[in-house]
Amino acid sequence: MGALGSGKSAFRSERLSVVRDVPAVLVSLGSLLSEVGIALVGIATSVDDEGLYWKCLEGIDAVDEARDVVHRMRRSLQAQQPSNEPATH
């Protein structure tokens, strides 16, 4: 990896900022959010600290809302695809 500010480093950051397959990224993001939600449920059911329990529930709600947004984005992308192309995922 190049030094900070070098051309090589800038090129790498440029490549990492481009999403080439948005539907695939959204599928992966949805899966990741599901895993986070499951982990939070596991933590919430095993903690003795009531404050931590409620923080986990807040996190679960936030994850659920984020998953809803991801699903809406996927549906929107699918609706924008021409009818002669098969929908991805």
Side-chain angles (χ1 to χ4, degrees):
M1 189 173 351
L4 194 60
S6 73
K8 186 176 181 182
S9 176
F11 177 71
R12 183 171 186 264
S13 66
E14 184 178 309
R15 286 185 300 143
L16 292 174
S17 66
V18 176
V19 178
R20 289 186 173 87
D21 189 356
V22 174
V25 169
L26 291 174
V27 168
S28 295
L29 180 56
S31 296
L32 180 62
L33 288 168
S34 293
E35 290 179 30
V36 169
I38 290 168
L40 285 169
V41 168
I43 294 168
T45 59
S46 66
V47 296
D48 293 329
D49 180 352
E50 187 176 344
L52 183 55
Y53 169 81
W54 287 109
K55 290 288 183 187
C56 287
L57 288 187
E58 290 172 10
I60 291 166
D61 286 342
V63 166
D64 191 46
E65 289 176 24
R67 287 185 64 223
D68 289 345
V69 170
V70 169
H71 288 300
R72 284 195 304 269
M73 291 171 70
R74 288 182 60 201
R75 283 194 300 269
S76 176
L77 281 175
Q78 289 173 346
Q80 292 174 11
Q81 288 183 341
S83 60
N84 59 351
E85 289 184 23
T88 305
H89 305 278

